[in-house]
Amino acid sequence: MQRPQRGLIVRQPYAGWIVDGEKVWEIRKHPTRRRGPIGIVSNGQLIGQVDLVGVEGPFTVEELRAHEEKHRAGKFLADYAQGKPLWAWVLANPRRYPRPLPVPPRQGRVMWVDLAEVAWPEEGGDDD
C-alpha cells in the first residue's frame, strides 16, 4: 500500500464514512487535478486513506440530490454551495487505519495538509 503524501481535511461524520467506503464522492467547490492516494484527516488525526480517482461535474445542488447515496451530504449541500456549482471528487479503495495517527497542527484555514511529519508505524507492523 502506498502511503499518501497529502491529507484532505474532512469533518465528521463524513470522514468516517469515506474511510469506511460509505461515501464515494467528496463534494467540493472546485475541481482538482490531484490523483492517487490521499489521507483523510479529521479532528487533527489521520484516520485512513482513499484513492482520488477522478472528478465529475460541475453539478447544481438539484443534480447532486439524485446522487445522495454517493455523497451523503444531505441538507448541507444548499448551504455549502451558496448558489454556485459543485464538483464531486470520486474516491475508491477506502482504508480505515487500525489506530488514528496524530497530524501536526497547521495555522489558518487549510484544506490539504502535508503528511511528511506524521509518525507512521514501522513497516511490516500490524498497522501497515
Side-chain angles (χ1 to χ4, degrees):
M1 175 188 68
Q2 183 180 354
R3 289 182 177 164
Q5 297 177 351
R6 306 286 280 175
L8 180 65
I9 296 175
V10 182
R11 293 180 187 178
Q12 289 292 3
Y14 309 107
W17 292 341
I18 289 170
V19 298
D20 290 337
E22 298 171 16
K23 182 178 185 329
V24 296
W25 280 10
E26 173 62 6
I27 303 303
R28 294 288 167 152
K29 294 179 181 178
H30 55 83
T32 182
R33 290 185 296 242
R34 187 176 306 277
R35 298 293 184 274
I38 60 170
I40 300 299
V41 177
S42 189
N43 299 322
Q45 295 187 313
L46 178 62
I47 64 168
Q49 71 181 69
V50 294
D51 291 332
L52 177 51
V53 297
V55 175
E56 295 189 24
F59 293 104
T60 65
V61 170
E62 291 75 27
E63 290 169 326
L64 283 170
R65 285 193 176 119
H67 300 281
E68 173 67 22
E69 76 285 353
K70 295 178 183 174
H71 60 73
R72 300 188 65 181
K75 296 176 185 176
F76 174 74
L77 274 180
D79 289 339
Y80 180 68
Q82 298 178 344
K84 296 180 182 172
L86 298 171
W87 280 261
W89 295 9
V90 182
L91 311 172
N93 306 315
R95 178 168 184 239
R96 180 183 285 271
Y97 296 156
R99 285 185 284 285
L101 304 172
V103 174
R106 297 288 184 256
Q107 294 296 321
R109 188 176 168 137
V110 295
M111 178 172 52
W112 293 102
V113 293
D114 184 352
L115 299 178
E117 296 177 32
V118 169
W120 293 94
E122 294 290 323
E123 290 286 335
D126 66 352
D127 290 339
D128 193 33

